[in-house]
Amino acid sequence: MKSTAHHDERIANMTFASVYPHYVTKVEKKDRTVDELHEVITWLTSFTSEEIQSLIDEKVTFRTFFERANLNPNAHLITGVICGYRVEEITNKLTQQTRYLDKLIDELAKGRKMEKILRVPKP
């Protein structure tokens, strides 16, 4: 699947608040918790739970969300396919960051162990 400028712009302008409830539903349906969801978001972005709530309340776009984020230096270790795209091959930085988040949440919902989701290196 090839990303387009229109697709990238649509993602950039989507609000985090509009997607967040879907993240919650997805993980809770699979017996994971909002705390675990926040742990994953925090790992990727460095946002605290309070900051996540503030971003939701502000109705920030994904563009603003990732502009304010301090992306984890190990985010490049997130690989695989999400929404028909191989995340490591996405050329638009913001779209890739958004798909990183989608991929982590997907792994959480699929029951993957937290240390694997958070790319904890093996000793």
Side-chain angles (χ1 to χ4, degrees):
M1 238 177 190
K2 188 169 169 60
S3 182
T4 64
H6 171 74
H7 176 257
D8 294 334
E9 195 59 26
R10 206 177 97 238
I11 289 173
N13 292 322
M14 194 178 305
T15 64
F16 178 69
S18 70
V19 179
Y20 179 80
H22 299 288
Y23 293 156
V24 172
T25 300
K26 183 173 190 167
V27 301
E28 286 183 337
K29 270 198 325 196
K30 300 293 185 166
D31 296 321
R32 301 305 286 257
T33 67
V34 171
D35 286 342
E36 289 174 309
L37 172 62
H38 283 205
E39 185 177 351
V40 166
I41 296 171
T42 298
W43 177 86
L44 181 63
T45 64
S46 298
F47 293 136
T48 64
S49 287
E50 293 77 21
E51 289 170 322
I52 293 167
Q53 187 57 55
S54 177
L55 292 163
I56 292 167
D57 294 342
E58 260 186 83
K59 294 184 176 23
V60 299
T61 62
F62 273 103
R63 177 180 285 120
T64 301
F65 180 87
F66 281 107
E67 283 173 353
R68 294 184 187 174
N70 182 13
L71 210 64
N72 189 299
N74 288 330
H76 70 279
L77 299 174
I78 303 167
T79 60
V81 176
I82 189 76
C83 301
Y85 295 91
R86 182 156 286 287
V87 293
E88 62 270 25
E89 295 174 0
I90 297 172
T91 55
N92 181 285
K93 182 180 172 187
L94 177 59
T95 300
Q96 184 179 53
Q97 292 169 342
T98 304
R99 295 304 184 200
Y100 281 161
L101 181 57
D102 292 340
K103 181 69 175 162
L104 294 176
I105 292 166
D106 193 53
E107 290 176 358
L108 180 65
K110 287 183 176 176
R112 200 161 192 215
K113 291 183 180 178
M114 194 59 81
E115 59 268 11
K116 291 212 182 259
I117 297 170
L118 304 183
R119 278 47 183 186
V120 175
K122 294 177 185 171

